[in-house]
Amino acid sequence: LTAWSSSSSGSAGGVARVSTGGPRDDITRPLIETLAQDTAFRLVQQLRPRWLSARTQATPGNPEPAYAEVFVDDFYFGRVQSLHQISSNQIERIEYLNARDATTRYGTGYLGGIIRVITR
């Protein structure tokens, strides 16, 4: 995982929405190739911004809102901001798993779900 290339990026500016006509919970290589985005974060921000939103609100019993966690090739990679470290050139597919599916696959503790990156 140390081979990820990190690129600096300017302001996002006007981000266009792209309709894929396909499943709403994955971003595939053919779509990635049509976009001029340099990182996984920018791809998700443009195509599936809801994946970056909190899934639960802070409560007295849970003081932090729940955001998605990132897995790369089935290994924990970090919080949502870690998507900035993943070059879009290395991505085959990005998927979102809701909390229930994330628990089934990876165990408990992922109330915000998981953004799963599969590399080429």
Side-chain angles (χ1 to χ4, degrees):
L1 294 176
T2 58
W4 295 119
S5 65
S6 177
S7 56
S8 62
S9 51
S11 66
V15 175
R17 302 269 179 176
V18 176
S19 174
T20 64
R24 294 300 300 163
D25 285 331
D26 72 348
I27 300 169
T28 60
R29 185 77 216 152
L31 180 57
I32 293 167
E33 290 174 349
T34 67
L35 301 171
Q37 299 301 339
D38 56 350
T39 67
F41 186 90
R42 287 187 179 266
L43 286 168
V44 171
Q45 185 179 44
Q46 181 174 359
L47 297 169
R48 307 289 190 275
R50 65 184 170 82
W51 294 0
L52 303 174
S53 302
R55 296 292 183 225
T56 61
Q57 298 299 315
T59 63
N62 184 21
E64 297 289 324
Y67 291 92
E69 299 285 335
V70 177
F71 276 69
V72 176
D73 296 328
D74 287 326
F75 292 97
Y76 181 77
F77 195 70
R79 297 185 178 253
V80 149
Q81 293 78 12
S82 68
L83 290 169
H84 285 290
Q85 300 172 20
I86 305 169
S87 169
S88 61
N89 294 329
Q90 297 176 297
I91 300 169
E92 182 64 31
R93 185 172 73 245
I94 306 172
E95 306 170 332
Y96 175 79
L97 301 174
N98 64 31
R100 184 186 66 223
D101 293 339
T103 297
T104 300
R105 187 170 185 115
Y106 297 100
T108 60
Y110 302 105
L111 294 176
I114 288 175
I115 297 174
R116 185 171 171 243
V117 178
I118 295 92
T119 60
R120 308 202 278 172

